Amino acid sequence: MPGLLLILHFLVPVRGLVISQSGVKLKPDKHNIVEYKINKKAFGFQKKATVNVTVTCEENLRRDLDSKTGKSLALFRCPAGIPEIDPVDYSNSCSNIGVKSHSAKEIRYFGSVDNEEFATLILKEKDYDRELTVRVCSINAIFLNQGSHLSTDQIPIPTNFIVTLVVWMVLSFLWLVNALCFRKHSNNLHRLLSALLMIKLVNLILAYIFWKELDGRGRWSLQISLPYVLCTSVFETMIFIVLMLAGEGWCIIWENPRLLKYYLILSSSFFLMVLCYKFVHKYFQGFAIVFASMMIYIAFKCSTISINTVKRNITASNQFIDNHRLTYKSDITLKKRLNKKLRMFNYLQGLIIGLPCVLIVVESVASFLLVYNEWTRILLKELLELSVMIYCCALFRLRNFTDYNNISINTPYHNNVVLLTPYKNIVYISCERDGQDTAESDHT
């Protein structure tokens, strides 16, 4: 489930564009009726929006265009959300778009919208005189909302990305200040999060350019859409990598990741499956879901193992201190240091558990309540990613770790007595006369 929800967030369906389709087969059904939806998803039209559609076919078209009787190729604008329409009643349920010009093989439709609505354009033909044949055509459709090619629920999207970019820039600036203030305590996990922030900034810039291009031209270019999809996929994949590495305790209790090659294999496979899902076929979605679920499980399992490891270290250190009757020179104790790491892993595990739950809620709201409100869907997605990143930055930010590098303890005062006990664990205590001898502990 987490993998499926993540894939659904990768790239929202684009409705506001200039539709160019070639090789369209207008094939009649068994009732000799042709129906073809030009835009598969409903497009939001503003008042006084214009529709310009050109249909060019390989064979000659008839010129007796009668939209009322439906005996030839006609174009209708049908409101979204209405039940299936009887082809005979198209003229009553839908609005007919008039023919601007026509020739032997081409028909041009042009019309304006009187009311704001979400609608689908349908080419329809009912010809009783012809036998069942397949007509191959090319279709070019341009929807224009008062200077914008975007749907009404997509027009605020470029502004959303500008605001989101500013917020992420503030977060990146604060992260940079934290890195400069405590640069001597920097670690690889902190650097990885820095790279993740930079990738997200680039992703937001590409997203803004992508939607502005759609807004102005009605279509996108490969030079912008391909980097946008790749950058989005890389960012989402790296979130999984951060969760797995942090769950294992990289730069927290271990200096080097022990399962790095498995993380790279899973994340690379997930990344490739997502690209195949986007550019090849939707069947690859199933494989991407499997790899995403495996990474979520590994991150949770590794965080559980890390929590148990820290708890064992706390128990062992307490027993060592008690058995050797040692006291600390300050309030900075080994138990306090390990407890901070334990709380860090508990918070991280809470994120790993809560992220899929929040994704379920967000996707449910977006799917059932915001079907025709795409800018809100994108805003929810960006807020979720921003919340996850703020949580990770607050959890793994750099701090002053100098006090915890060396924990000083005092040995008990015994007036120059060396004690050897005849037990399995021999205790050796050597003290100076004034009892000020100390020992240094450098436990991880």
Side-chain angles (χ1 to χ4, degrees), residues 21-32:
Q21 301 171 352
S22 60
V24 176
K25 294 183 179 180
L26 302 180
K27 183 179 181 179
D29 58 16
K30 62 181 180 179
H31 301 295
N32 206 14

Side-chain angles (χ1 to χ4, degrees), residues 347-388:
Y347 291 146
L348 177 62
Q349 193 173 70
L351 174 63
I352 297 172
I353 296 173
L355 182 59
C357 300
V358 177
L359 279 172
I360 292 174
V361 175
V362 171
E363 188 60 33
S364 300
V365 171
S367 300
F368 298 104
L369 302 180
L370 302 174
V371 178
Y372 301 116
N373 203 343
E374 195 161 316
W375 73 271
T376 308
R377 290 163 58 97
I378 295 180
L379 182 61
L380 287 177
K381 175 223 173 188
E382 292 298 330
L383 288 177
L384 178 60
E385 292 182 352
L386 180 62
S387 301
V388 171

Side-chain angles (χ1 to χ4, degrees), residues 146-166:
Q146 299 179 6
S148 174
H149 290 88
L150 297 179
S151 175
T152 53
D153 62 331
Q154 296 175 335
I155 293 176
I157 290 179
T159 304
N160 280 357
F161 278 116
I162 286 293
V163 176
T164 307
L165 177 61
V166 172

Side-chain angles (χ1 to χ4, degrees), residues 269-285 287:
S269 301
F270 172 76
F271 179 74
L272 290 176
M273 291 302 104
V274 170
L275 292 183
C276 292
Y277 163 73
K278 284 298 177 184
F279 297 111
V280 180
H281 202 282
K282 292 184 178 180
Y283 289 156
F284 287 96
Q285 183 185 47
F287 297 101

Side-chain angles (χ1 to χ4, degrees), residues 33-263:
I33 298 174
V34 174
E35 287 186 12
Y36 181 79
K37 291 184 178 181
I38 295 180
N39 54 317
K40 305 301 181 183
K41 295 182 179 295
F43 185 87
F45 292 96
Q46 292 179 341
K47 197 172 183 179
K48 298 182 180 180
T50 58
V51 177
N52 194 342
V53 179
T54 302
V55 180
T56 305
C57 297
E58 295 179 355
E59 62 179 13
N60 292 340
L61 295 170
R62 294 178 51 177
R63 298 191 181 185
D64 54 337
L65 302 173
D66 191 348
S67 60
K68 294 183 179 180
T69 60
K71 289 186 178 180
S72 189
L73 194 63
L75 181 64
F76 294 92
R77 188 184 73 252
C78 300
I82 62 175
E84 289 294 328
I85 305 171
D86 187 349
V88 180
D89 297 332
Y90 261 69
S91 57
N92 297 326
S93 304
C94 304
S95 301
N96 175 254
I97 298 178
V99 177
K100 183 178 181 180
S101 63
H102 61 82
S103 60
K105 296 183 179 182
E106 182 180 89
I107 302 178
R108 293 184 178 181
Y109 303 91
F110 181 83
S112 60
V113 181
D114 298 330
N115 301 314
E116 294 185 1
E117 63 178 0
F118 283 86
T120 301
L121 268 65
I122 301 177
L123 276 173
K124 175 253 179 183
E125 180 181 20
K126 185 174 182 181
D127 192 345
Y128 298 98
D129 301 329
R130 294 180 40 145
E131 296 181 356
L132 293 176
T133 58
V134 177
R135 180 184 287 116
V136 179
C137 304
S138 61
I139 300 174
N140 185 65
I142 301 176
F143 308 147
L144 196 60
N145 277 324
Q146 299 179 6
S148 174
H149 290 88
L150 297 179
S151 175
T152 53
D153 62 331
Q154 296 175 335
I155 293 176
I157 290 179
T159 304
N160 280 357
F161 278 116
I162 286 293
V163 176
T164 307
L165 177 61
V166 172
V167 176
W168 278 88
M169 290 178 65
V170 173
L171 178 62
S172 302
F173 174 76
L174 296 176
W175 188 255
L176 178 61
V177 171
N178 177 257
L180 293 177
C181 292
F182 304 101
R183 55 185 177 275
K184 66 178 181 179
H185 301 290
S186 180
N187 54 59
N188 291 328
L189 181 59
H190 189 272
R191 299 186 187 97
L192 181 61
L193 288 173
S194 301
L196 192 59
L197 284 170
M198 296 301 104
I199 292 175
K200 183 59 181 179
L201 291 178
V202 174
N203 181 33
L204 290 173
I205 294 173
L206 291 175
Y208 174 75
I209 297 174
F210 176 84
W211 285 98
K212 285 298 291 184
E213 188 176 29
L214 277 178
D215 188 15
R217 298 177 60 242
R219 66 179 74 218
W220 63 81
S221 60
L222 184 63
Q223 293 82 357
I224 297 299
S225 60
L226 182 59
Y228 174 39
V229 175
L230 290 176
C231 195
T232 304
S233 304
V234 169
F235 175 77
E236 301 287 355
T237 305
M238 286 189 65
I239 289 180
F240 280 124
I241 296 177
V242 169
L243 292 179
M244 289 188 294
L245 289 173
E248 187 187 4
W250 182 49
C251 299
I252 303 174
I253 58 177
W254 308 109
E255 184 178 358
N256 298 312
R258 297 171 295 173
L259 304 176
L260 179 60
K261 61 180 181 180
Y262 300 105
Y263 301 156

Side-chain angles (χ1 to χ4, degrees), residues 297-363:
Y297 172 76
I298 289 177
F300 175 78
K301 188 67 175 179
C302 289
S303 64
T304 302
I305 295 175
S306 298
I307 289 174
N308 294 332
T309 300
V310 175
K311 287 181 178 180
R312 288 195 301 267
N313 288 342
I314 292 176
T315 302
S317 63
N318 289 339
Q319 291 179 351
F320 178 84
I321 295 297
D322 294 338
N323 292 339
H324 292 76
R325 294 175 294 171
L326 302 177
T327 58
Y328 293 97
K329 296 180 64 176
S330 65
D331 59 345
I332 305 299
T333 64
L334 186 59
K335 181 179 179 180
K336 185 176 180 181
R337 176 182 181 180
L338 292 175
N339 279 332
K340 285 184 175 294
K341 296 185 177 183
L342 180 61
R343 287 195 297 269
M344 185 178 295
F345 283 117
N346 286 330
Y347 291 146
L348 177 62
Q349 193 173 70
L351 174 63
I352 297 172
I353 296 173
L355 182 59
C357 300
V358 177
L359 279 172
I360 292 174
V361 175
V362 171
E363 188 60 33

